[in-house]
Amino acid sequence: MAKKKALTNVELCKGCRLCVGACPVGAIEALMQVNKKGYEIIRVDEDKCIGCGNCYTMCPDYVFSIEEV
């Protein structure tokens, strides 16, 4: 079985941080950086990510995709 991980497109992020609370392993953190639209963005720690898809399911802005690695 291939390992999965979450990939992000932070330019779509609007900083709602729903994904941060949805991650069961704490792999997502909010950054004090902004994207081109002026929204604070998030970062996924790829070493912690288990590819569960909770962030993908929770995100209203389609920031995440789940990919096999």
Side-chain angles (χ1 to χ4, degrees):
M1 178 181 222
K3 182 177 171 19
K4 295 180 180 182
K5 70 175 182 175
L7 301 178
T8 60
N9 179 347
V10 294
E11 292 308 317
L12 297 175
C13 186
K14 292 184 182 162
C16 70
R17 300 181 182 179
L18 291 172
C19 58
V20 175
C23 182
V25 295
I28 303 172
E29 66 178 335
L31 301 178
M32 299 305 281
Q33 297 174 348
V34 295
N35 61 16
K36 291 177 184 174
K37 296 178 185 176
Y39 295 109
E40 288 184 357
I41 59 172
I42 51 86
R43 181 180 71 85
V44 175
D45 183 336
E46 292 183 12
D47 293 331
K48 288 183 181 179
C49 180
I50 59 172
C52 68
N54 285 358
C55 56
Y56 173 84
T57 303
M58 185 60 69
C59 182
D61 298 309
Y62 307 102
V63 171
F64 297 92
S65 61
I66 306 299
E67 306 260 334
E68 289 187 6
V69 290

Coordinates of all heavy atoms in Angstrom, one line a residue:
M1 N 0.8 -1.2 0.0 CA 0.0 0.0 0.0 C 0.9 1.2 0.0 O 1.8 1.4 0.8 CB -0.9 0.0 1.2 CG -1.8 1.2 1.3 SD -2.8 1.1 2.8 CE -4.3 1.6 2.2
A2 N 0.6 2.2 -0.9 CA 1.4 3.4 -1.0 C 1.0 4.4 0.1 O -0.1 4.5 0.5 CB 1.2 4.0 -2.4
K3 N 2.0 5.1 0.5 CA 1.8 6.2 1.5 C 1.2 7.4 0.8 O 1.5 7.7 -0.3 CB 3.1 6.5 2.2 CG 3.0 7.6 3.2 CD 4.4 7.9 3.9 CE 4.5 9.0 4.8 NZ 3.4 9.6 5.4
K4 N 0.3 8.0 1.5 CA -0.4 9.2 1.0 C 0.1 10.4 1.8 O 0.4 10.3 3.0 CB -1.9 9.1 1.1 CG -2.4 8.0 0.2 CD -3.9 7.9 0.3 CE -4.4 6.8 -0.6 NZ -5.9 6.7 -0.6
K5 N 0.0 11.6 1.2 CA 0.3 12.8 1.9 C -0.6 14.0 1.3 O -1.1 13.9 0.2 CB 1.7 13.2 1.9 CG 2.2 13.6 0.5 CD 3.7 14.1 0.6 CE 4.1 14.5 -0.8 NZ 5.5 15.1 -0.8
A6 N -0.8 15.0 2.1 CA -1.5 16.2 1.7 C -0.6 17.2 1.0 O 0.4 17.5 1.5 CB -2.2 16.8 2.9
L7 N -1.0 17.6 -0.1 CA -0.4 18.7 -0.8 C -1.3 20.0 -0.8 O -2.5 19.8 -0.7 CB -0.1 18.4 -2.3 CG 0.8 17.1 -2.5 CD1 0.9 16.9 -4.0 CD2 2.1 17.3 -1.9
T8 N -0.6 21.1 -0.8 CA -1.4 22.4 -0.6 C -1.2 23.3 -1.8 O -0.1 23.4 -2.3 CB -1.1 23.1 0.7 OG1 0.3 23.4 0.7 CG2 -1.4 22.2 1.9
N9 N -2.2 24.1 -2.0 CA -2.1 25.3 -2.9 C -2.4 26.5 -2.0 O -3.6 26.8 -1.9 CB -3.0 25.2 -4.1 CG -2.9 26.4 -5.0 OD1 -2.4 27.4 -4.7 ND2 -3.5 26.3 -6.2
V10 N -1.4 27.1 -1.4 CA -1.7 28.1 -0.4 C -2.3 29.4 -1.0 O -2.8 30.2 -0.3 CB -0.4 28.5 0.4 CG1 0.0 27.3 1.3 CG2 0.7 28.9 -0.4
E11 N -2.2 29.5 -2.3 CA -2.8 30.7 -2.9 C -4.3 30.7 -2.9 O -5.0 31.7 -3.0 CB -2.3 30.9 -4.4 CG -0.9 31.3 -4.5 CD -0.5 32.5 -3.7 OE1 -1.2 33.5 -3.6 OE2 0.6 32.4 -3.0
L12 N -4.9 29.5 -2.6 CA -6.4 29.3 -2.5 C -6.8 29.5 -1.0 O -8.0 29.7 -0.7 CB -6.8 28.0 -3.0 CG -6.6 27.7 -4.5 CD1 -6.9 26.2 -4.8 CD2 -7.4 28.6 -5.3
C13 N -5.8 29.5 -0.1 CA -6.1 29.5 1.3 C -6.7 30.8 1.8 O -6.2 31.9 1.4 CB -4.9 29.2 2.1 SG -5.1 29.0 3.9
K14 N -7.7 30.8 2.6 CA -8.3 32.1 3.1 C -8.2 32.2 4.6 O -8.8 33.0 5.3 CB -9.8 32.2 2.7 CG -10.0 32.4 1.2 CD -11.4 32.6 0.9 CE -11.6 32.7 -0.6 NZ -13.0 32.5 -1.0
G15 N -7.3 31.3 5.2 CA -7.0 31.4 6.6 C -8.0 31.0 7.6 O -8.0 31.5 8.7
C16 N -9.0 30.2 7.2 CA -10.1 29.8 8.2 C -9.6 28.9 9.3 O -10.2 28.8 10.3 CB -11.2 29.2 7.4 SG -10.9 27.5 6.8
R17 N -8.5 28.1 9.0 CA -7.8 27.2 9.9 C -8.7 26.0 10.3 O -8.4 25.4 11.3 CB -7.3 28.0 11.2 CG -6.4 29.1 10.8 CD -5.8 29.8 12.0 NE -4.9 30.8 11.6 CZ -4.3 31.6 12.4 NH1 -4.5 31.6 13.7 NH2 -3.5 32.6 11.9
L18 N -9.7 25.7 9.6 CA -10.5 24.5 9.9 C -9.7 23.3 9.8 O -9.8 22.3 10.6 CB -11.7 24.4 9.0 CG -12.8 25.5 9.2 CD1 -13.8 25.4 8.1 CD2 -13.5 25.3 10.5
C19 N -8.7 23.3 8.9 CA -7.9 22.1 8.7 C -6.9 21.9 9.9 O -6.6 20.7 10.2 CB -7.0 22.3 7.4 SG -6.0 23.8 7.5
V20 N -6.5 22.9 10.6 CA -5.6 22.8 11.7 C -6.3 21.9 12.8 O -5.7 21.0 13.3 CB -5.2 24.2 12.3 CG1 -4.4 24.0 13.5 CG2 -4.5 25.0 11.2
G21 N -7.6 22.2 13.1 CA -8.3 21.4 14.1 C -8.7 20.1 13.6 O -8.9 19.2 14.4
A22 N -8.8 19.9 12.3 CA -9.2 18.6 11.7 C -8.1 17.6 11.7 O -8.3 16.4 11.6 CB -9.8 18.8 10.3
C23 N -6.8 18.0 11.7 CA -5.7 17.1 11.6 C -5.5 16.3 12.9 O -5.2 16.9 13.9 CB -4.4 17.9 11.2 SG -3.0 16.8 11.0
P24 N -5.6 15.0 12.8 CA -5.5 14.2 14.0 C -4.0 14.0 14.6 O -3.8 13.6 15.7 CB -6.0 12.8 13.6 CG -5.7 12.7 12.2 CD -5.9 14.1 11.6
V25 N -3.1 14.4 13.7 CA -1.7 14.2 14.2 C -0.9 15.6 14.3 O 0.3 15.6 14.5 CB -0.9 13.3 13.2 CG1 -1.4 11.9 13.3 CG2 -0.9 13.8 11.8
G26 N -1.7 16.7 14.2 CA -1.0 18.0 14.3 C 0.0 18.4 13.3 O 0.9 19.1 13.5
A27 N -0.3 17.9 12.0 CA 0.7 18.1 11.0 C 0.5 19.5 10.3 O 1.3 19.9 9.5 CB 0.6 17.0 9.9
I28 N -0.6 20.2 10.6 CA -0.9 21.4 9.9 C -0.7 22.6 10.9 O -1.3 22.5 12.0 CB -2.3 21.4 9.3 CG1 -2.4 20.3 8.4 CG2 -2.6 22.8 8.6 CD1 -3.9 20.0 7.9
E29 N 0.0 23.6 10.5 CA 0.1 24.8 11.4 C -0.2 26.1 10.6 O 0.1 26.1 9.4 CB 1.5 24.8 12.0 CG 2.6 25.1 11.0 CD 4.0 25.2 11.6 OE1 4.1 25.6 12.8 OE2 5.0 24.9 10.9
A30 N -0.7 27.0 11.3 CA -1.0 28.3 10.7 C 0.3 29.1 10.8 O 1.1 29.1 11.7 CB -2.1 29.1 11.5
L31 N 0.6 29.8 9.7 CA 1.8 30.7 9.6 C 1.4 32.1 9.7 O 0.3 32.5 9.4 CB 2.5 30.4 8.3 CG 3.0 29.0 8.0 CD1 3.6 28.9 6.6 CD2 3.9 28.5 9.0
M32 N 2.4 32.9 10.1 CA 2.2 34.4 10.1 C 2.6 35.0 8.8 O 3.1 36.1 8.7 CB 2.9 35.0 11.3 CG 2.5 34.5 12.6 SD 0.7 34.6 12.9 CE 0.6 36.4 13.3
Q33 N 2.4 34.2 7.7 CA 2.7 34.7 6.3 C 1.4 34.8 5.6 O 0.4 34.1 5.9 CB 3.6 33.7 5.6 CG 4.9 33.5 6.3 CD 5.7 32.4 5.6 OE1 5.2 31.6 4.8 NE2 7.0 32.3 5.9
V34 N 1.3 35.7 4.6 CA 0.1 35.8 3.8 C 0.4 35.5 2.3 O 1.5 35.5 1.8 CB -0.4 37.3 3.9 CG1 -0.8 37.6 5.3 CG2 0.6 38.3 3.4
N35 N -0.7 35.0 1.7 CA -0.7 34.7 0.3 C -0.9 36.0 -0.6 O -1.0 37.1 0.0 CB -1.6 33.6 -0.1 CG -3.1 33.9 0.1 OD1 -3.4 35.1 0.3 ND2 -3.9 32.9 0.2
K36 N -1.0 35.9 -1.9 CA -1.1 37.1 -2.7 C -2.5 37.8 -2.5 O -2.6 39.0 -2.8 CB -1.1 36.7 -4.2 CG 0.3 36.2 -4.6 CD 0.3 35.7 -6.1 CE 1.7 35.2 -6.4 NZ 1.7 34.6 -7.8
K37 N -3.5 37.1 -1.9 CA -4.7 37.7 -1.6 C -4.8 38.4 -0.3 O -5.7 39.0 0.1 CB -5.8 36.7 -1.7 CG -6.0 36.1 -3.1 CD -7.1 35.0 -3.0 CE -7.2 34.3 -4.3 NZ -8.2 33.2 -4.3
G38 N -3.7 38.2 0.5 CA -3.6 38.9 1.8 C -4.1 38.0 3.0 O -4.2 38.5 4.1
Y39 N -4.4 36.7 2.7 CA -4.9 35.8 3.8 C -3.7 35.1 4.4 O -2.7 34.7 3.7 CB -5.8 34.8 3.2 CG -7.1 35.3 2.7 CD1 -7.4 35.4 1.3 CD2 -8.1 35.8 3.5 CE1 -8.5 35.9 0.8 CE2 -9.3 36.3 3.0 CZ -9.5 36.3 1.7 OH -10.7 36.8 1.2
E40 N -3.8 34.9 5.8 CA -2.7 34.1 6.4 C -2.9 32.7 5.9 O -4.0 32.2 5.7 CB -2.9 34.1 7.9 CG -2.5 35.4 8.5 CD -2.6 35.4 10.0 OE1 -3.0 34.4 10.7 OE2 -2.3 36.5 10.6
I41 N -1.7 32.0 5.8 CA -1.7 30.7 5.2 C -1.3 29.6 6.2 O -0.9 29.9 7.3 CB -0.8 30.6 3.9 CG1 0.6 31.0 4.3 CG2 -1.3 31.5 2.8 CD1 1.7 30.8 3.2
I42 N -1.4 28.3 5.7 CA -1.0 27.2 6.6 C 0.1 26.5 5.9 O 0.5 26.7 4.8 CB -2.2 26.2 6.8 CG1 -2.9 25.8 5.4 CG2 -3.3 26.8 7.7 CD1 -2.3 24.7 4.7
R43 N 0.7 25.5 6.7 CA 1.8 24.7 6.2 C 1.6 23.3 6.7 O 1.2 23.1 7.9 CB 3.1 25.2 6.7 CG 4.3 24.4 6.2 CD 5.6 24.9 6.7 NE 5.8 24.7 8.1 CZ 6.3 23.5 8.7 NH1 6.6 22.5 7.9 NH2 6.4 23.4 10.0
V44 N 1.8 22.3 5.9 CA 1.7 20.9 6.3 C 3.1 20.3 6.5 O 4.0 20.5 5.6 CB 1.0 20.1 5.2 CG1 1.0 18.6 5.5 CG2 -0.4 20.6 4.9
D45 N 3.3 19.8 7.7 CA 4.6 19.1 8.0 C 4.5 17.7 7.3 O 3.8 16.8 7.8 CB 4.8 19.0 9.5 CG 6.1 18.3 9.9 OD1 6.7 17.6 9.1 OD2 6.6 18.6 11.0
E46 N 5.2 17.5 6.2 CA 5.1 16.3 5.4 C 5.6 15.0 6.2 O 5.2 13.9 6.0 CB 5.9 16.4 4.1 CG 5.2 17.4 3.2 CD 5.9 17.5 1.9 OE1 6.8 16.6 1.6 OE2 5.6 18.4 1.1
D47 N 6.5 15.2 7.2 CA 7.0 14.1 8.0 C 5.9 13.6 9.0 O 5.9 12.4 9.3 CB 8.2 14.5 8.8 CG 9.4 14.8 7.9 OD1 9.5 14.2 6.8 OD2 10.3 15.6 8.3
K48 N 5.0 14.5 9.4 CA 3.9 14.1 10.3 C 2.7 13.6 9.6 O 1.9 12.9 10.1 CB 3.5 15.3 11.2 CG 4.5 15.6 12.3 CD 4.0 16.8 13.1 CE 4.9 17.2 14.2 NZ 4.3 18.3 15.0
C49 N 2.5 14.1 8.4 CA 1.2 13.9 7.7 C 1.0 12.4 7.4 O 2.0 11.7 6.9 CB 1.2 14.6 6.3 SG -0.3 14.4 5.3
I50 N -0.2 11.9 7.7 CA -0.5 10.5 7.5 C -1.4 10.3 6.3 O -1.8 9.1 6.0 CB -1.1 9.8 8.7 CG1 -2.4 10.5 9.2 CG2 0.0 9.8 9.9 CD1 -3.1 9.9 10.3
G51 N -1.8 11.3 5.6 CA -2.6 11.2 4.4 C -4.0 10.8 4.7 O -4.6 10.2 3.8
C52 N -4.6 11.1 5.8 CA -5.9 10.7 6.2 C -7.0 11.4 5.4 O -8.1 10.8 5.2 CB -6.1 10.9 7.7 SG -6.2 12.6 8.2
G53 N -6.7 12.6 4.9 CA -7.7 13.3 4.1 C -8.7 14.2 4.9 O -9.6 14.8 4.3
N54 N -8.5 14.3 6.2 CA -9.4 15.1 7.0 C -9.3 16.6 6.6 O -10.3 17.3 6.5 CB -9.1 15.0 8.5 CG -9.6 13.7 9.1 OD1 -10.2 12.9 8.5 ND2 -9.3 13.5 10.4
C55 N -8.1 17.0 6.3 CA -7.9 18.4 5.9 C -8.7 18.7 4.5 O -9.3 19.7 4.3 CB -6.5 18.8 5.7 SG -5.5 17.7 4.6
Y56 N -8.5 17.7 3.6 CA -9.2 17.8 2.3 C -10.7 17.9 2.5 O -11.4 18.7 1.8 CB -8.8 16.6 1.5 CG -9.5 16.5 0.2 CD1 -9.0 17.1 -1.0 CD2 -10.6 15.7 0.0 CE1 -9.7 17.0 -2.2 CE2 -11.3 15.5 -1.2 CZ -10.8 16.2 -2.3 OH -11.5 16.1 -3.5
T57 N -11.2 17.1 3.3 CA -12.7 17.0 3.6 C -13.2 18.3 4.2 O -14.3 18.8 3.9 CB -13.0 15.8 4.5 OG1 -12.6 14.6 3.8 CG2 -14.5 15.7 4.7
M58 N -12.4 18.8 5.1 CA -12.8 20.0 5.9 C -12.7 21.3 5.2 O -13.5 22.3 5.4 CB -12.0 20.1 7.2 CG -12.4 21.2 8.2 SD -14.1 21.0 8.8 CE -14.0 19.6 9.8
C59 N -11.7 21.4 4.3 CA -11.4 22.7 3.6 C -12.5 23.2 2.7 O -12.8 22.5 1.7 CB -10.1 22.6 2.9 SG -9.6 24.2 2.1
P60 N -13.1 24.4 2.9 CA -14.1 24.9 2.0 C -13.5 25.6 0.7 O -14.2 25.9 -0.2 CB -14.8 26.0 2.8 CG -13.7 26.4 3.8 CD -12.9 25.2 4.1
D61 N -12.2 25.7 0.7 CA -11.5 26.5 -0.4 C -10.7 25.6 -1.3 O -9.9 26.1 -2.1 CB -10.7 27.6 0.2 CG -11.6 28.6 0.9 OD1 -12.6 29.0 0.3 OD2 -11.2 28.9 2.1
Y62 N -10.8 24.3 -1.2 CA -10.0 23.3 -2.1 C -8.5 23.5 -2.1 O -7.9 23.4 -3.1 CB -10.6 23.4 -3.5 CG -12.1 23.2 -3.5 CD1 -13.0 24.3 -3.7 CD2 -12.6 21.9 -3.4 CE1 -14.3 24.1 -3.7 CE2 -14.0 21.7 -3.4 CZ -14.9 22.8 -3.5 OH -16.2 22.6 -3.6
V63 N -8.0 23.8 -0.9 CA -6.5 24.1 -0.8 C -5.8 22.8 -0.9 O -4.6 22.7 -1.4 CB -6.2 24.8 0.6 CG1 -4.8 24.8 0.9 CG2 -6.9 26.1 0.6
F64 N -6.4 21.7 -0.5 CA -5.7 20.4 -0.3 C -6.0 19.4 -1.5 O -7.1 19.4 -2.0 CB -6.0 19.7 1.0 CG -5.6 20.5 2.2 CD1 -6.5 21.4 2.8 CD2 -4.4 20.4 2.7 CE1 -6.1 22.1 3.9 CE2 -4.0 21.1 3.8 CZ -4.9 22.0 4.4
S65 N -5.0 18.6 -1.7 CA -5.1 17.4 -2.6 C -4.4 16.3 -1.8 O -3.4 16.6 -1.2 CB -4.6 17.6 -4.0 OG -3.2 17.9 -4.0
I66 N -4.8 15.1 -1.9 CA -4.2 13.9 -1.3 C -3.5 13.1 -2.4 O -4.2 12.7 -3.4 CB -5.2 13.1 -0.5 CG1 -5.9 13.9 0.5 CG2 -4.5 11.9 0.2 CD1 -5.1 14.6 1.5
E67 N -2.2 12.9 -2.3 CA -1.5 12.3 -3.4 C -0.7 11.0 -2.8 O -0.3 11.1 -1.6 CB -0.4 13.2 -3.9 CG -1.0 14.5 -4.4 CD -1.2 14.6 -5.9 OE1 -0.5 13.9 -6.6 OE2 -2.1 15.3 -6.4
E68 N -0.5 10.0 -3.6 CA 0.3 8.9 -3.2 C 1.7 9.2 -3.5 O 2.1 9.9 -4.5 CB -0.1 7.6 -4.0 CG -1.4 7.1 -3.6 CD -1.8 5.7 -4.3 OE1 -0.9 5.2 -5.0 OE2 -2.9 5.3 -4.1
V69 N 2.6 8.8 -2.5 CA 4.0 9.1 -2.7 C 4.8 7.8 -2.8 O 4.4 6.8 -2.3 CB 4.6 10.0 -1.6 CG1 4.1 11.4 -1.8 CG2 4.3 9.4 -0.2

